Amino acid sequence: MSLSDQAARVVADLDPEYAIGVVEALCSRPSVSGDEAEVSRWTAEELRRLGLDVVEQEVLPGRCNVIATLDSGRPGPTLLFNGHLDTLPVPDGGRRDPYRPRRADGRLYGAEINNMKGAVGAMIAAVATILPRRDEIAGRIILSAVIGECDALGLGTLHMLESGLKADMAINGEPSDLKAMTCHSGVSQLRLAARGKSVHICRKSEGRNAIEDLLAAAACLDESILTFDSHPDFRGLPTLNVGVVRGGTLPSMLASEAEALIDVRTVPGMTPESVLADVTRAVRAARTKDGREPDVRVELIERPRFCQQHPYHVARDAPVVQVIADCHAAFVGAAPAIGPLFPQVFYGTDASHLQRAGISTIIYGPGKVEEINVPDESMAIEDLLTAARVYCLAAMQICARR
């Protein structure tokens, strides 16, 4: 059967009302990072109802990945659909309750539909469509709906991988506006911790202000201290940002402790360890107003608070990329853009961890950058259905019974 014939079957078989309804169910359940329990339970129950083998994998107390498997019973490749259930806090300013999804003017409105409940719902709908055709596939299709992406940048996916999950290819559904996104920065986050001796300002000469040490160290940090080779797919990178500075108790007291939090977006060849070495070297070369080396400790922020990420990069001609491109074209009539997307190249996603684990991964999902985490968030229903159809057809192609 030709790809166009299979695409026509997918259009006929995939139920739009079911796909939209699943997304509405996901969007109606708050799941800000750390509070995913309700949406995880619903997702597990729905996937079991469909007839999939479901594991609720506890990552932290009360925070569970949901991993569902469609096993054909025949040898073949394993395809992984990957998306996160946790979200950012919903912004203020909306005119309606964000947790009461509604349809209007060809759009579906719902909390965090772009990042990324729309894609997770589309993946569930795709697997539901494939289930009656399991005799046409070989290998396995796994759907992983994970926690801990928005807050820790990969806690759920890393736990899943370290627990032994393996796959040959993966489709990550982060919002790419239905384009094939092949790269994004790595993300290293660090903490600078300064120590001082707290005394009242009347005894200033007897103390040492940790904030002065911290500011001396932070003042020397910018992109010029980083060791890297530029990469054409990572335009504008690397970046370094001092995003948080805090310390002290009262204006009249010298601070005994102070800290700064640093974010570095990296390019291929850079690692969290190389960033740590660069920042440490720069801090050691800094000097306070009185000529001292700042008493500042530099450290990578560790799990579960943050998951250090390496740059994500997949070849444009990788089989998983080409399958997505061909399946997109079968429904839309033209191939999607393939390669780096801007500003998404500055982001971090679970694709980094999947690719680093040896799973060839493409990022392809519904949702536009400018529509992420805004009041009255919405998504074009046609984009949602296109994603579901592309996911379904891609899985049928990758796991086709030969």
Side-chain angles (χ1 to χ4, degrees):
M1 183 183 296
S2 69
L3 186 63
S4 60
D5 289 340
Q6 273 204 317
R9 284 183 63 190
V10 169
V11 171
D13 291 351
L14 192 144
D15 182 354
E17 280 300 315
Y18 177 73
I20 296 168
V22 169
V23 177
E24 289 175 330
L26 293 170
C27 290
S28 69
R29 290 167 167 82
S31 57
V32 174
S33 297
D35 188 26
E36 306 98 336
E38 182 184 357
V39 76
S40 293
R41 281 195 300 269
W42 183 89
T43 303
E45 289 168 3
E46 178 60 16
L47 292 168
R48 285 195 184 98
R49 188 192 68 79
L50 292 173
L52 296 167
D53 179 18
V54 177
V55 173
E56 295 176 75
Q57 182 183 67
E58 189 170 66
V59 180
L60 291 174
R63 304 183 68 184
C64 291
N65 291 335
V66 180
I67 303 171
T69 303
L70 192 171
D71 195 329
S72 71
R74 289 173 286 273
T78 296
L79 171 67
L80 174 68
F81 287 120
N82 174 259
H84 61 82
L85 292 171
D86 65 315
T87 72
L88 298 169
V90 174
D92 296 330
R95 293 169 295 175
R96 296 175 182 264
D97 183 348
Y99 296 111
R100 295 186 65 183
R102 63 186 178 92
R103 309 178 199 186
D105 303 319
R107 300 187 71 81
L108 179 58
Y109 289 78
E112 298 296 295
I113 190 171
N114 291 286
N115 189 30
M116 54 184 293
K117 291 185 175 179
V120 172
M123 290 172 173
I124 293 172
V127 175
T129 305
I130 296 167
L131 271 164
R133 299 195 208 163
R134 70 166 69 215
D135 62 333
E136 298 178 25
I137 65 171
R140 299 185 304 161
I141 298 169
I142 301 174
L143 193 159
S144 61
V146 300
I147 62 94
E149 198 277 346
C150 289
D151 59 344
L153 209 54
L155 187 63
T157 289
L158 275 175
H159 183 89
M160 174 184 74
L161 293 168
E162 291 169 358
S163 297
L165 186 141
K166 299 185 183 303
D168 300 290
M169 300 181 189
I171 300 169
N172 175 278
E174 291 281 5
S176 69
D177 195 17
L178 299 179
K179 298 171 183 174
M181 179 174 163
T182 60
C183 61
H184 65 65
S185 69
V187 186
S188 293
Q189 291 193 352
L190 305 92
R191 176 176 181 262
L192 273 58
R195 294 177 298 182
K197 181 181 178 182
S198 181
V199 296
H200 189 272
I201 192 65
C202 69
R203 297 165 52 212
K204 183 177 180 180
S205 62
E206 299 175 27
R208 191 175 72 253
N209 194 338
I211 291 175
E212 292 184 3
D213 281 39
L214 181 68
L215 293 179
C220 72
L221 300 181
D222 59 26
E223 290 81 4
S224 68
I225 65 129
L226 299 173
T227 303
F228 68 95
D229 294 319
S230 60
H231 193 290
D233 282 351
F234 292 75
R235 180 162 43 90
L237 288 156
T239 62
L240 185 153
N241 184 58
V242 182
V244 175
V245 176
R246 56 194 172 207
T249 55
L250 293 169
S252 58
M253 300 293 293
L254 276 64
S256 62
E257 295 179 342
E259 70 171 4
L261 304 182
I262 314 298
D263 180 284
V264 181
R265 305 277 154 151
T266 61
V267 301
M270 299 174 73
T271 67
E273 292 72 26
S274 75
V275 171
L276 175 63
D278 288 341
V279 173
T280 300
R281 183 168 54 250
V283 168
R284 294 291 167 262
R287 290 294 178 267
T288 62
K289 288 185 295 185
D290 57 3
R292 293 183 296 103
E293 178 184 321
D295 188 0
V296 173
R297 183 175 73 256
V298 183
E299 60 192 13
L300 292 169
I301 299 174
E302 297 182 349
R303 291 161 59 181
R305 188 175 175 189
F306 184 77
C307 302
Q308 303 291 332
Q309 280 204 355
H310 292 251
Y312 156 72
H313 199 223
V314 65
R316 290 173 173 81
D317 61 355
V320 71
V321 179
Q322 292 305 305
V323 168
I324 283 290
D326 291 345
C327 292
H328 176 97
F331 294 108
V332 178
I338 302 173
L341 304 180
F342 295 89
Q344 294 98 314
V345 74
F346 290 89
Y347 289 4
T349 77
D350 282 339
S352 167
H353 303 304
L354 297 172
Q355 188 79 12
R356 186 164 167 78
I359 304 171
S360 184
T361 303
I362 182 64
I363 300 173
Y364 175 90
K368 302 179 187 299
V369 170
E370 62 271 18
E371 294 168 354
I372 297 172
N373 197 238
V374 297
D376 297 313
E377 186 171 341
S378 68
M379 175 183 290
I381 291 174
E382 189 54 38
D383 286 355
L384 169 63
L385 296 178
T386 295
R389 291 164 181 156
V390 170
Y391 293 153
C392 182
L393 185 58
M396 295 295 290
Q397 291 289 304
I398 291 168
C399 295
R401 188 173 179 180
R402 310 299 180 188

